Amino acid sequence: MELPKFEFEDEEILKAKKQRDKLIEICTETAKFYYKKLNESVGYKARQYLEKRKVERETIVKMGLGYSPDYNSLPTYLKSKGYSIEDMVLAGVVSQNTDTKKVYDAMAKRLVFPIFNSNSKVCGFSGRAMEDGAYAKYKNTTGTPIFNKSTIMYGLNLLRKARVENKNYALLVEGQMDVISCHQAGFTNAIATLGTAFNDNHVRVLMRFVDSVIVCFDGDNAGRNAAVKCLEPLMKGNFEIKIISIKDDKCKDPDEFIKLRGKDEFQKLIDNAQNVWEFEINQVSSQYDLNDKIALNKFLTKALEIVDRIPGFAQKEIYMKQISNIAHINLDVLEREYRNNQRLKQNDVKESDVDQMVEIKEKEDQKITLAETFILASLLHNKDYADKSKNYIFTKKEYSDFYEYLKSNDFPIISKIYDRYDVENINWLKNLIYFNFEKINKPNELFVSYVKMIKSEKLLAKQQELTKKLGQANGSEKIELLKQIQEISKLIQKGKMED
C-alpha cells in the first residue's frame, strides 16, 4: 500500500514535536540528576536549608526538589547519556560562554525546584542560591521552546488533581516556598508565578482548570500592590476572585503564617477571604487621610468608580454601604451622588443600547453575530442578568449547538469546557471564554435589547420567506400564508411597542 506524502507544514510540525519531546527528556534527566545530588553528601547544605525551612521528606519527593553541586557535573552527566551540547543549551539546562564556547550548569550551586507543565512534564527549573554573594537569589530557566515563565506557574501540574478533589479554585501565592508550605499543609491548589507579574497568559492557562481564584500575597505594601496588579487580568478572565490579607506582625507571607499559626488558622483566612470589591475599596481608602476634605472627595470619586464596575444592583448596594461606613457619609447622600454621576455619563452616550459593543458594526449580519456572542458569553459566564431558565435563539450553527450542550449539562463551569473542547484551536469558543465584559455599558439593558433584536430578525426572516412563497401560492394556500404573515407582523409590532 502506498503511504501518504506529508505536506511541508506537517513535516515541520512533526520536527517541532520531536524537538520538544527531546527537550522534555533532557529536562527530566536533569531533574533526576539534581534529585540524586540533593540526597548525596554534596547536597548536605541544601538539605540543611530545607530542614531549617521545615520542608518534610515527603514534600521533597512530591515536588522533586534537587541540588546542583557545581558547574561541570551536569554537562558531563548529560553527555554520558548521549545528549549534544546544542540540545542541552536549547533545553536551557546549561549555558555556553559565547567566547570560549565552554558550557556550564545554568543552576550551579543552587537548590533546584523543577517546573512542570500542565501535563506533569518537566520543562524548566527555578534555583535558589545556596552561597552568599550569588548574583541573584532566585534564577529561572531562560526562555526555551518548552518553557516560558510568562505563561507557566509553579504547582500548575497539581492543580488538575486538586480540582478532582473538589477544590475548584486556585490559591495564588507569591513564591515557591509559599507553594511548598501550602501543599505540605494540605492546600494542594496553591500556585505561584515565576518571578514575573501575573498576566493575561496566566489567566488563559488558569481558565482550563478553575473558575475561582483566591489571591494571597505578602502582608506588606509590596505584597498588597502585587495583589492589586493581579486583579485586572483576573477580572478579564471572569473568575470569582477573593483576597487574603495577612495582618500579622510575626508573619508576612503564607509560608511563615502556616509554620507559626498552623494550617487551621490559614484555613480560617481562606474562609474569611475578602471579596475583590471589598478589597479594592479598602485598598483605595488606605491611600487617603479621610479626615481631610479634599482627600475624602478623591477617595469617594475612586470608590464610586469601583462601584460602577460591580455587576448587579444588589451587589452595588452592598459596597455602597461599605463606602458609607468608611467615609462616615449618609448612605442616601452617597447613592444620590452615584445616580447623578450615572446621569451625567448617560448624557454623554450617543450610541443606542444595541450599539454599545466595543466596535460598532454597521451591517446587520455583523450586529447579529455581536449580539449572539454577547448573549452566549453572558450565559456561559453565569451573569446575573442572563436568565438561564429561558430559551434563546442563535442563528449561527456552532452557537446553537454549543447552547444546547450548555443546557443539557446544566450550564457547566468554564473549566469543564476545556475537558470537552479543544478551546485553543476553536476561535469562536475562545472569544466566548475570554469575552471582555468590562467595556460593555449597562450590560443588563444591552442583553435585553439584543435578545429582542435577534427575535425580531428571526421573525423578519420568516416573514420574508413566507412572502416569497406567496407569489407562487393559489387559493386557500395563499390565504393561509397571508394569515401567517399578518401574525408575524403583529408579533414584530408588539416587540417594538414593548421597547
Side-chain angles (χ1 to χ4, degrees):
M1 186 179 79
E2 186 179 355
L3 292 172
K5 292 181 180 180
F6 288 108
E7 297 292 331
F8 175 76
E9 290 81 4
D10 295 324
E11 290 177 0
E12 288 296 311
I13 290 168
L14 290 171
K15 185 179 177 182
K17 184 182 182 304
K18 190 175 180 181
Q19 183 191 67
R20 288 172 63 85
D21 289 345
K22 179 174 273 191
L23 299 184
I24 285 173
E25 193 179 290
I26 290 171
C27 286
T28 304
E29 281 297 335
T30 301
K32 290 177 182 177
F33 171 84
Y34 289 148
Y35 177 76
K36 183 180 177 185
K37 292 301 173 185
L38 177 65
N39 293 286
E40 293 178 355
S41 58
V42 290
Y44 176 72
K45 190 173 182 178
R47 291 199 306 275
Q48 268 193 318
Y49 172 81
L50 291 171
E51 188 177 336
K52 183 181 177 183
R53 299 295 297 265
K54 297 183 180 179
V55 180
E56 298 168 2
R57 176 68 191 165
E58 185 181 344
T59 306
I60 292 171
V61 175
K62 177 184 176 181
M63 308 303 280
L65 305 184
Y67 176 67
S68 169
D70 53 48
Y71 289 91
N72 301 316
S73 295
L74 177 66
T76 302
Y77 170 77
L78 291 176
K79 280 180 190 175
S80 72
K81 290 287 183 178
Y83 299 111
S84 68
I85 290 174
E86 181 184 6
D87 285 337
M88 287 185 234
V89 172
L90 192 60
V93 299
V94 303
S95 299
Q96 187 171 36
N97 186 294
T98 52
D99 297 325
T100 65
K101 303 301 179 185
K102 185 178 178 181
V103 295
Y104 54 92
D105 186 346
M107 293 290 155
K109 300 184 179 181
R110 292 174 180 269
L111 172 66
V112 181
F113 305 82
I115 310 299
F116 297 84
N117 63 22
S118 58
N119 294 318
S120 296
K121 304 290 185 183
V122 185
C123 59
F125 300 89
S126 185
R128 201 239 186 238
M130 288 288 100
E131 292 190 347
D132 296 332
Y135 78 91
K137 187 176 178 181
Y138 280 94
K139 181 182 179 184
N140 294 311
T141 297
T142 55
T144 73
I146 60 171
F147 180 82
N148 180 353
K149 70 176 184 178
S150 294
T151 300
I152 202 154
M153 289 166 278
Y154 187 60
L156 180 67
N157 58 307
L158 299 171
L159 202 53
R160 191 191 300 270
K161 184 180 177 184
R163 195 183 76 179
V164 173
E165 296 169 351
N166 291 321
K167 292 178 181 175
N168 190 39
Y169 69 92
L171 181 60
L172 181 61
V173 295
E174 202 159 358
Q176 283 101 323
M177 288 308 301
D178 291 324
V179 172
I180 284 172
S181 288
C182 284
H183 276 262
Q184 189 165 276
F187 304 100
T188 55
N189 48 353
I191 55 169
T193 59
L194 297 169
T196 186
F198 191 84
N199 59 54
D200 293 344
N201 293 328
H202 293 126
V203 167
R204 280 190 279 273
V205 172
L206 268 186
M207 287 178 78
R208 301 177 187 178
F209 302 101
V210 295
D211 296 282
S212 304
V213 178
I214 295 179
V215 180
C216 182
F217 280 3
D218 294 358
D220 55 16
N221 285 333
R224 282 193 293 273
N225 289 336
V228 169
K229 288 177 182 177
C230 286
L231 298 182
E232 185 177 346
L234 280 172
M235 285 178 177
K236 288 179 186 176
N238 295 299
F239 291 102
E240 180 187 346
I241 309 163
K242 291 188 176 181
I243 316 290
I244 291 175
S245 298
I246 296 177
K247 299 173 182 177
D248 193 309
D249 293 338
K250 295 182 180 179
C251 318
K252 72 175 188 298
D253 57 35
D255 174 42
E256 291 180 359
F257 188 93
I258 289 169
K259 284 165 185 170
L260 189 65
R261 306 299 182 198
K263 64 180 182 180
D264 291 340
E265 289 300 312
F266 190 69
Q267 181 62 55
K268 287 179 184 177
L269 290 182
I270 292 174
D271 294 340
N272 295 301
Q274 286 182 315
N275 181 284
V276 62
W277 307 116
E278 182 183 353
F279 172 81
E280 279 204 43
I281 291 166
N282 285 335
Q283 186 69 9
V284 169
S285 71
S286 69
Q287 297 169 7
Y288 296 100
D289 176 8
L290 301 185
N291 293 314
D292 180 85
K293 288 183 179 179
I294 295 174
L296 177 61
N297 191 52
K298 288 180 179 178
F299 161 68
L300 289 173
T301 300
K302 286 198 172 184
L304 290 178
E305 285 174 2
I306 293 170
V307 171
D308 206 26
R309 292 176 9 233
I310 298 173
F313 298 114
Q315 277 206 85
K316 287 182 192 291
E317 180 77 16
I318 291 168
Y319 296 104
M320 289 275 243
K321 287 177 182 176
Q322 182 190 350
I323 296 166
S324 171
N325 291 333
I326 291 172
H328 301 293
I329 287 178
N330 184 279
L331 180 60
D332 290 338
V333 173
L334 194 64
E335 288 178 340
R336 191 159 57 247
E337 178 67 17
Y338 177 73
R339 286 194 296 272
N340 287 338
N341 289 345
Q342 291 300 103
R343 274 196 290 271
L344 288 171
K345 284 182 182 179
Q346 286 172 14
N347 289 337
D348 289 338
V349 176
K350 295 178 182 178
E351 294 84 12
S352 67
D353 285 345
V354 175
D355 291 327
Q356 285 182 22
M357 297 297 287
V358 179
E359 294 180 11
I360 299 173
K361 305 293 186 180
E362 292 181 357
K363 293 182 179 178
E364 287 303 314
D365 58 338
Q366 290 174 321
K367 280 186 180 180
I368 293 293
T369 300
L370 285 170
E372 291 187 0
T373 300
F374 176 68
I375 292 167
L376 195 51
S378 297
L379 290 164
L380 175 63
H381 290 281
N382 198 27
K383 295 298 180 181
D384 56 0
Y385 53 77
D387 187 350
K388 290 184 287 190
S389 66
K390 294 182 177 180
N391 285 317
Y392 297 92
I393 301 166
F394 296 96
T395 58
K396 288 166 68 87
K397 186 179 184 305
E398 59 266 35
Y399 279 14
S400 182
D401 291 346
F402 184 61
Y403 174 59
E404 290 303 319
Y405 159 74
L406 292 177
K407 279 203 304 180
S408 61
N409 288 274
D410 197 25
F411 291 88
I413 55 177
I414 288 175
S415 54
K416 294 284 186 187
I417 306 297
Y418 282 91
D419 294 340
R420 180 180 174 89
Y421 294 91
D422 182 14
V423 174
E424 294 305 317
N425 291 313
I426 306 174
N427 286 331
W428 63 265
L429 185 52
K430 272 202 298 187
N431 291 336
L432 291 173
I433 289 175
Y434 303 146
F435 192 91
N436 186 0
F437 290 92
E438 285 190 357
K439 294 184 179 181
I440 303 298
N441 250 346
K442 298 186 287 182
N444 52 332
E445 294 178 29
L446 185 64
F447 186 88
V448 173
S449 295
Y450 275 158
V451 170
K452 287 181 179 179
M453 185 184 81
I454 291 171
K455 187 177 179 182
S456 177
E457 289 294 326
K458 190 81 173 175
L459 289 169
L460 283 169
K462 182 65 176 175
Q463 192 179 55
Q464 288 170 3
E465 182 187 334
L466 294 174
T467 303
K468 284 181 182 179
K469 289 181 179 179
L470 192 63
Q472 300 172 349
N474 293 306
S476 60
E477 184 186 359
K478 194 169 189 176
I479 293 170
E480 182 60 33
L481 286 171
L482 283 167
K483 283 181 180 178
Q484 290 180 38
I485 291 169
Q486 191 175 19
E487 285 300 316
I488 291 172
S489 295
K490 286 179 182 178
L491 288 171
I492 293 171
Q493 191 60 36
K494 184 182 176 184
K496 287 180 180 178
M497 289 176 68
E498 286 175 354
D499 288 342

